Amino acid sequence: MESSNDFNPIRNWANELHAKDTSKKVRAIKKMQAERGERLGGKPPYGYKKKDKDSKEIIPDEETAPIVRRIFDLCAAGKGPNQIARILTREQVLNPTNQYYQATGTACTNLDTTRPYTWSGRTVAKILENKVYIGHTLNMRKTTLSYKNKKQIQKPESEQILVENTHEPLISMEIWEIVQDVREHKRRPPKHMEEPNLFSGLVYCADCGKYMVLCRTEKMREDQYYFRCSTYSKRGKNACSPHQIREADLKAIVLDDLRRVTHFARMKERQFAQYINQRNTAELRREINRLQRELDSMHRRYNELSALFKRLYEDNVLGRVSDEQFRMLSADYNAEQKNLSATIPAKEEQLEKLKASAANVDAFIEKAKRYTTIDQLTPELLRLFIQRIEVGERSQKYSRSAGQSVKIVYRDIGRVDSPMQEGEHTPHITKQITDIEEIKRLLA
């Protein structure tokens, strides 16, 4: 009589097939739930709580939601994640793992009850990057290697599922965009200086287009701090000129111009809107359409290359194409596809920036109405109103008394020219920002 062990290979194969099939079904169900905007995790994000004990719906937590808002406000004001973490630690605010443990009695990963008030910069950074706080749900961020290997790996952003407006946001989209802009251009201040650069990521050289660096040392007074072109600093006078300007002078210029422009927006609302809306020119729309056609063509070519490579492989297997021809042609196809993979995201980003460059005067006027009195500049205020500042070279190089141009490009409306004079009804709006070549140069 045959032993039952003789059937083990068949039994193991059947069990493995069943496990694989079950894994596929679970993944499919999870994907459907993710596409509907359902939360797949059990623990609610810091700042939220479950609406009911068995509910997947989340609502703001009265205890922790104000802390999340404060974290975003501090970042918008120019503080980095490590600085924010030190502030929260100093104020003895419970960190997320200990707060959840005390509220629910459930221990989280990396729980350390001996240091309940210790925050890390990484924790703060994760909060600042989480789209859950603007009311969106991001699912399918991680996956396992297979149904056998349970090690989790991060999915690429293109494979993650984002569903918008699934719950109540804790912060506005305006604050979110300011914070992301601050984080993108954030540079670590010198060790001996806690205060970050007020204009970080906003000041650019008008000639080479590169950013300008703030030069400051312990031995310098605050009124001696100055900006200088980064190209000049790195490559010398043969590459560009200093374009030097004192930080104190730049603050005075920007503050004065910001007061002027917001005053115009409030006092001459209709005329202001009429002139700003001239930015939406037919030329700008044509450029957007041209870029869109280029992008569509690139996507089609990328898909064609994938199909060509598949047919080439089949021909090689069937003997229609020699191995040498296969290697040569596949190398060409791979190189072209790799180039497209790098070019397409850059084109998409350029297209989004062009679309965003169309004026939104109503949004600017609403912001101007909220800030009727502007006494001093703050990082949040600068990024709320200003897109970039371009500093030109002095009419006479290295002269402290020679004139120097400073162009301020405002968010939503572009650059506003000279102030309104007595008897005028509308401000002068520059047309430079609507010029396609100018837009290309700004986006480069």
Side-chain angles (χ1 to χ4, degrees), residues 351-388:
L351 180 62
E352 288 303 314
K353 285 184 177 180
L354 269 177
K355 288 178 179 178
S357 68
N360 186 359
V361 65
D362 293 335
F364 187 88
I365 291 172
E366 285 303 312
K367 288 187 287 188
K369 287 178 179 178
R370 295 208 311 265
Y371 292 86
T372 55
T373 304
I374 300 176
D375 296 322
Q376 62 178 3
L377 298 176
T378 64
E380 180 182 359
L381 194 67
L382 282 171
R383 284 157 186 83
L384 184 66
F385 283 102
I386 295 174
Q387 182 179 339
R388 62 187 282 136

Side-chain angles (χ1 to χ4, degrees), residues 92-109:
Q92 298 223 318
V93 177
L94 278 171
N95 60 41
T97 53
N98 276 278
Q99 188 278 331
Y100 186 73
Y101 177 66
Q102 291 192 13
T104 64
T106 305
C108 304
T109 308

Side-chain angles (χ1 to χ4, degrees), residues 232-261:
Y232 174 82
S233 297
K234 292 176 182 177
R235 296 162 55 191
K237 62 182 180 181
N238 292 328
C240 197
S241 55
H243 292 72
Q244 188 167 311
I245 185 171
R246 288 196 311 156
E247 184 190 33
D249 293 339
L250 187 62
K251 282 181 180 179
I253 292 167
V254 172
L255 180 60
D256 180 68
D257 202 67
L258 183 58
R259 285 171 173 167
R260 173 179 68 86
V261 174

Side-chain angles (χ1 to χ4, degrees), residues 423-440:
E424 291 184 332
H425 300 289
T426 56
H428 300 288
I429 310 299
T430 184
K431 293 185 179 181
Q432 287 181 324
I433 195 66
T434 61
D435 182 73
I436 294 302
E437 294 303 319
E438 176 72 4
I439 292 172
K440 286 180 180 177

Side-chain angles (χ1 to χ4, degrees), residues 257-363:
D257 202 67
L258 183 58
R259 285 171 173 167
R260 173 179 68 86
V261 174
T262 53
H263 175 75
F264 298 157
R266 289 191 302 270
M267 303 305 293
K268 299 289 181 181
E269 191 173 324
R270 184 185 300 173
Q271 294 92 335
F272 191 79
Q274 182 182 352
Y275 272 77
I276 294 296
N277 284 329
Q278 292 176 1
R279 281 172 38 84
N280 294 319
T281 61
E283 189 178 5
L284 180 60
R285 288 195 294 273
R286 282 197 298 271
E287 180 68 10
I288 290 173
N289 291 336
R290 186 190 67 78
L291 268 177
Q292 185 65 61
R293 287 195 298 272
E294 283 185 15
L295 200 54
D296 292 341
S297 176
M298 287 179 179
H299 280 297
R300 281 196 300 272
R301 181 56 181 166
Y302 187 90
N303 294 331
E304 286 172 5
L305 288 170
S306 298
L308 284 169
F309 188 82
K310 185 179 179 181
R311 286 201 297 271
L312 182 65
Y313 176 76
E314 290 173 353
D315 288 343
N316 178 250
V317 171
L318 295 172
R320 297 171 187 164
V321 175
S322 67
D323 291 343
E324 183 63 31
Q325 288 176 317
F326 175 76
R327 281 193 294 270
M328 183 179 67
L329 291 172
S330 63
D332 291 341
Y333 290 158
N334 281 329
E336 187 178 353
Q337 201 168 42
K338 187 176 181 181
N339 182 53
L340 285 171
S341 297
T343 308
I344 287 173
K347 283 283 183 185
E348 288 176 339
E349 185 180 357
Q350 189 179 6
L351 180 62
E352 288 303 314
K353 285 184 177 180
L354 269 177
K355 288 178 179 178
S357 68
N360 186 359
V361 65
D362 293 335

